[in-house]
Amino acid sequence: PLNQEIDTWLPKTYKVPSGSNKSIQYTYGSPPKISVKLQEMFGEPSSPMVADGRINITLELLSPAQRPLQITQDLAGFWQGAYKEVQKEMKGRYSKHPWPDDPATHQATSKTKHQLNR
């Protein structure tokens, strides 16, 4: 029973809005962390949490090429603030991928715009 409780409080994976399961990295002395493509977090209004909603998961948001764009524990704040700069820069570099004006309500995806329109 204790193992089940620990798995409930500190799960090994988190299902992101795109439907993918991402491994949660636990490191002593640091908050839990997930590395995920930014587009796969569209539609998520706030940061995911563990420990019965007590601990924010740190998100390492990645470009379509899997390069770090931003690290945040405040997804809502990122959508409202720094996302605009990231969107501006990445829209030109990765034009085949969606960069919506309102990412908090946009459909999450791991696909390109062309793949989505099929």
Side-chain angles (χ1 to χ4, degrees), residues 2 16 40 52 88 106 117:
L2 182 58
V16 296
E40 292 194 68
D52 200 25
K88 235 187 280 183
H106 194 272
N117 293 331

Side-chain angles (χ1 to χ4, degrees), residues 17-108:
S18 68
S20 300
N21 283 311
K22 300 295 179 183
S23 293
I24 301 174
Q25 302 159 13
Y26 294 97
T27 306
Y28 181 77
S30 299
K33 181 175 124 181
I34 296 174
S35 295
V36 59
K37 281 200 297 186
L38 185 135
Q39 286 83 1
E40 292 194 68
M41 292 304 294
F42 289 162
E44 186 76 58
S46 60
S47 295
M49 303 180 98
V50 292
D52 200 25
R54 293 186 175 110
I55 300 172
N56 278 358
I57 295 174
T58 298
L59 297 170
E60 180 182 41
L61 300 171
L62 307 173
S63 73
Q66 302 291 322
R67 293 190 183 101
L69 292 173
Q70 183 80 25
I71 295 176
T72 185
Q73 282 188 310
D74 180 13
L75 189 59
F78 172 72
W79 290 146
Q80 294 171 359
Y83 172 75
K84 296 293 180 208
E85 288 300 314
V86 170
Q87 177 194 34
K88 235 187 280 183
E89 186 180 326
M90 294 293 115
K91 217 174 196 178
R93 191 175 297 170
Y94 299 104
S95 59
K96 293 181 181 182
H97 295 270
W99 299 99
D101 289 332
D102 187 7
T105 60
H106 194 272
Q107 178 187 353

